[in-house]
Amino acid sequence: MSISVCIFGTGAIGSFYGAMLHKGGASVSTVQRSDYDHVKKQGIVIESETLAHSFMPKKVYRPEDSPEESFDYLVIATKALMIPDLHEKIRNFVSPKTSLVLIQNGIDVEDQLAPHYPHNELISCLAFICVTKTSPGTVSHMDYGRITLGSYPKGTSTGTETLAELFSKSIQCGISEDIIKDRWIKLIWNAPFNPISALAGGANTLQLLSDKATKELIITVMKEVRSIASKAGVAFPETVIDGNIEATLKMTPYIPSMGVDALEKRGMEVEAILGRPIAIAEELSVPVPAMELLHTLLKQLNSTITEK
Amino acid sequence: MSISVCIFGTGAIGSFYGAMLHKGGASVSTVQRSDYDHVKKQGIVIESETLAHSFMPKKVYRPEDSPEESFDYLVIATKALMIPDLHEKIRNFVSPKTSLVLIQNGIDVEDQLAPHYPHNELISCLAFICVTKTSPGTVSHMDYGRITLGSYPKGTSTGTETLAELFSKSIQCGISEDIIKDRWIKLIWNAPFNPISALAGGANTLQLLSDKATKELIITVMKEVRSIASKAGVAFPETVIDGNIEATLKMTPYIPSMGVDALEKRGMEVEAILGRPIAIAEELSVPVPAMELLHTLLKQLNSTITEK
């Protein structure tokens, strides 16, 4: 019998990884809100040069439904920390045997779920991907796709390994024995590039790094993240910073997701990327003035664009 | 014989004050670029509840024209520090008797002209006004309108007083004996509100002051401006800061001009509002970390929106 998966949060990321799991042989259902009618009729389409895949979900649910079946994995790919009471909203889709699979950016995102589901396994994931939803049920995959899974808070498990094996049939997938550390490593990039792109009107990576003062600001923020992580017990070498800058300069220039959100006037993952790390910095008495100033501006930008 | 004025820079500000001078009895010509044909046929229209006025310029020039007549006043109302070689571009409109009247925001804006016209009087002006150009030759006046004039670098003169008298026939006008000081006082407001609004997606004054962290940031920037000015020999009392915040809270909420520029993807007066004051701070060894960070972000935003 195939592995059963349900996708909660069928934006670009959820739809994409749902399709990859389907391609790998899983039985995939989805929970849809605005796209319910469309996906029920037309399914989900991933447009891509390398990873194109279309599928009809086994079943399409609405968020308020109570499925009779129980799932092996519930993939949660909503925007990080942007749904109040997320744990309540997923409850009908979680049975005692269901592993929760959280694909979100940022720090401490597991706190939304872990305390509320102490008996369910929680698999925490980081996605390295450029995807955009272009119309109902349709996602355009631009680049990358690798996903990293780890059992939360640490180590691995049969559930994690089975899921990693399934992902590996269609896409690059790695297991992390220390997903919290990997979240900090990813934050080194996210904390400067995402907010600064958004504040700078959706500037792309090359535009950001071509300006000397902006590049210095990016490095300042990276150092602040490194200081917090280090005080929190997660050490990385200084070379991580130069390595990140060099790797970014080699990429095809692209607009970080928050920059895209700002351009399209969508809510941004402000708290997962800056708010939580700053709160941890405060607890640990680590000064992070640049992150604090970016946080203030980004919250203000976020409320301006979402209020309109 | 009536006083002869030519307006160079017929955006919202130049058109508005040109109309006010015409209303007061001056003979007003204009220099037009894109709106040349329209203004030649239809003139300039100021829409306003309180200050509406339409007029046909005595003569409409193109920037490359060489007028035979000579003007008493050449009003220069281009965006601050955004036209390279401004002094060259106005040369054909300046005769030995012409007083230069610079209506621009920011600090050190007179440097563009003063060294190049040592024998012409320079009258430096600050405009307190909300106006927007809505279509060719048409400007919508939303609020305020007061203008402050001073002889540069200090004091007053017959030319300044004659112009002030002319303005006073149609609009509130004050003479400043120390226009450089008044530029710093105005910068206390401009340096925080304009950049932060632009970075925050065109947030209005009330949105900016309603968020506690943003309000604190605004006050931090005001204190930085006050420190530079104080070290530069321009002292104002601490109460200026609270006074500015309270006065802004009483205003009808509005989007500062840089916020409007950002929304409409127009170039912003980054250097006049932040770049020059920061350069002065560096010379005087005054630390201004918040202004520096805003400057970096704003330059990046400016190049993103003007490159697209």
Side-chain angles (χ1 to χ4, degrees):
Chain A
M1 217 182 77
S2 67
I3 293 166
S4 70
V5 176
C6 181
I7 311 289
F8 190 97
T10 41
I13 300 268
S15 301
F16 176 81
Y17 286 108
M20 293 305 107
L21 291 168
H22 181 270
K23 198 173 179 183
S27 151
V28 179
S29 296
T30 62
V31 183
Q32 308 280 161
R33 218 172 23 176
S34 49
D35 297 356
Y36 181 88
D37 291 327
H38 183 95
V39 170
K40 214 167 156 78
K41 273 185 226 150
Q42 316 277 341
I44 284 174
V45 177
I46 310 300
E47 296 170 340
S48 167
E49 278 186 30
T50 51
L51 295 165
H53 186 67
S54 303
F55 76 107
M56 289 300 297
K58 186 187 159 216
K59 193 132 195 220
V60 180
Y61 294 102
R62 294 186 191 273
E64 59 274 21
D65 287 344
S66 293
E68 283 179 15
E69 60 181 325
S70 85
F71 306 106
D72 297 319
Y73 296 99
L74 179 67
V75 173
I76 299 141
T78 53
K79 280 207 162 179
L81 305 183
M82 287 179 56
I83 302 194
D85 296 326
L86 178 63
H87 64 278
E88 277 308 321
K89 298 201 167 109
I90 64 169
R91 194 162 297 275
N92 293 344
F93 299 89
V94 182
S95 76
K97 68 153 198 171
T98 306
S99 293
L100 306 180
V101 181
L102 184 64
I103 311 183
Q104 286 186 343
N105 261 321
I107 293 295
D108 274 1
V109 290
E110 300 91 347
D111 284 1
Q112 307 163 90
L113 302 177
H116 304 279
Y117 294 95
H119 305 300
N120 291 74
E121 179 173 34
L122 176 54
I123 301 173
S124 182
C125 312
L126 288 166
F128 299 79
I129 190 160
C130 297
V131 278
T132 309
K133 197 161 144 181
T134 48
S135 65
T138 305
V139 169
S140 168
H141 166 253
M142 271 99 59
D143 213 346
Y144 312 100
R146 180 164 57 89
I147 187 164
T148 298
L149 324 181
S151 301
Y152 181 80
K154 232 180 168 49
T156 181
S157 69
T158 313
T160 301
E161 279 156 26
T162 305
L163 184 64
E165 206 174 302
L166 186 56
F167 268 124
S168 300
K169 289 182 182 160
S170 53
I171 201 156
Q172 258 196 297
C173 177
I175 288 182
S176 163
E177 298 269 345
D178 191 348
I179 192 72
I180 295 176
K181 177 176 179 175
D182 283 327
R183 288 196 171 275
W184 281 104
I185 289 176
K186 194 174 183 203
L187 192 71
I188 287 247
W189 195 94
N190 275 327
F193 279 98
N194 271 301
I196 296 173
S197 170
L199 291 167
N204 71 35
T205 48
L206 187 65
Q207 289 170 320
L208 294 172
L209 288 174
S210 303
D211 180 76
K212 192 167 157 272
T214 305
K215 188 176 167 186
E216 274 169 26
L217 174 60
I218 287 167
I219 291 172
T220 300
V221 173
M222 286 181 167
K223 285 181 177 166
E224 289 183 356
V225 172
R226 191 170 162 274
S227 303
I228 310 169
S230 150
K231 196 96 179 245
V234 179
F236 8 93
E238 280 225 33
T239 52
V240 165
I241 291 176
D242 285 347
N244 258 294
I245 300 281
E246 278 160 38
T248 308
L249 281 168
K250 280 182 201 149
M251 288 177 186
T252 310
Y254 82 101
I255 305 174
S257 60
M258 254 189 207
V260 175
D261 287 341
L263 284 173
E264 300 186 356
K265 305 206 180 299
R266 289 189 304 235
M268 298 179 290
E269 297 174 323
V270 179
E271 292 314 300
I273 300 296
L274 286 177
R276 296 292 178 106
I278 288 171
I280 295 171
E282 266 166 33
E283 273 168 40
L284 302 173
S285 305
V286 178
V288 289
M291 287 170 74
E292 281 174 356
L293 206 157
L294 291 177
H295 185 224
T296 297
L297 293 172
L298 200 64
K299 273 193 302 179
Q300 190 75 54
L301 173 61
N302 199 40
S303 63
T304 313
I305 61 182
T306 54
E307 271 171 31
K308 275 177 188 167
Chain B
M1 215 181 80
S2 67
I3 294 166
S4 70
V5 176
C6 181
I7 310 289
F8 190 96
T10 40
I13 300 267
S15 302
F16 176 80
Y17 287 107
M20 293 304 107
L21 290 169
H22 181 269
K23 199 174 176 181
S27 150
V28 179
S29 295
T30 62
V31 183
Q32 308 281 160
R33 217 171 25 179
S34 49
D35 297 356
Y36 180 86
D37 291 328
H38 182 94
V39 170
K40 217 169 154 74
K41 273 185 227 151
Q42 316 277 340
I44 285 176
V45 178
I46 310 300
E47 296 170 341
S48 168
E49 278 186 29
T50 51
L51 296 166
H53 185 68
S54 302
F55 75 106
M56 289 300 297
K58 185 188 160 216
K59 191 134 194 216
V60 180
Y61 294 102
R62 295 187 191 272
E64 58 276 19
D65 287 345
S66 293
E68 284 178 17
E69 60 182 325
S70 85
F71 306 106
D72 297 319
Y73 296 98
L74 180 68
V75 173
I76 298 140
T78 53
K79 281 209 163 180
L81 304 183
M82 286 177 60
I83 302 194
D85 295 325
L86 178 62
H87 63 279
E88 276 309 322
K89 301 207 164 103
I90 63 170
R91 193 161 298 274
N92 293 345
F93 300 88
V94 182
S95 76
K97 69 153 199 171
T98 306
S99 293
L100 306 179
V101 180
L102 184 64
I103 311 182
Q104 286 187 343
N105 262 321
I107 292 296
D108 273 359
V109 291
E110 299 91 349
D111 285 0
Q112 307 162 89
L113 302 177
H116 304 280
Y117 295 95
H119 305 299
N120 291 76
E121 179 173 36
L122 176 54
I123 301 173
S124 182
C125 313
L126 288 166
F128 298 79
I129 188 157
C130 297
V131 277
T132 309
K133 195 160 147 183
T134 50
S135 66
T138 306
V139 169
S140 169
H141 165 253
M142 271 99 61
D143 214 346
Y144 313 102
R146 180 164 57 89
I147 187 163
T148 299
L149 324 182
S151 301
Y152 181 79
K154 230 179 171 46
T156 181
S157 68
T158 312
T160 302
E161 280 156 26
T162 305
L163 185 65
E165 206 175 301
L166 186 57
F167 268 125
S168 298
K169 291 184 182 159
S170 55
I171 201 156
Q172 259 196 294
C173 176
I175 288 183
S176 164
E177 298 268 345
D178 190 349
I179 193 71
I180 296 177
K181 178 177 179 175
D182 282 328
R183 289 198 170 274
W184 282 103
I185 290 176
K186 193 172 185 203
L187 192 72
I188 287 246
W189 194 94
N190 275 328
F193 279 97
N194 271 301
I196 298 174
S197 170
L199 292 166
N204 70 35
T205 47
L206 186 65
Q207 289 170 321
L208 293 172
L209 288 174
S210 303
D211 181 75
K212 194 168 156 272
T214 304
K215 189 176 166 186
E216 274 170 26
L217 174 60
I218 287 167
I219 291 172
T220 299
V221 174
M222 287 181 167
K223 285 181 177 166
E224 290 183 357
V225 173
R226 191 171 162 274
S227 304
I228 310 169
S230 151
K231 196 95 178 246
V234 179
F236 4 93
E238 278 225 34
T239 52
V240 164
I241 292 175
D242 285 348
N244 258 295
I245 300 282
E246 277 161 37
T248 308
L249 281 168
K250 279 181 202 151
M251 288 175 186
T252 309
Y254 83 101
I255 305 174
S257 62
M258 253 189 206
V260 176
D261 287 341
L263 285 173
E264 299 186 357
K265 306 206 180 302
R266 287 191 304 235
M268 298 178 290
E269 298 175 321
V270 178
E271 293 314 300
I273 300 296
L274 287 176
R276 294 293 178 104
I278 289 171
I280 295 171
E282 267 168 32
E283 274 169 37
L284 302 173
S285 304
V286 178
V288 289
M291 286 169 73
E292 281 174 355
L293 206 157
L294 291 177
H295 185 224
T296 297
L297 294 171
L298 200 64
K299 272 193 302 177
Q300 190 74 55
L301 173 61
N302 199 41
S303 63
T304 312
I305 61 182
T306 54
E307 271 171 30
K308 271 175 190 167

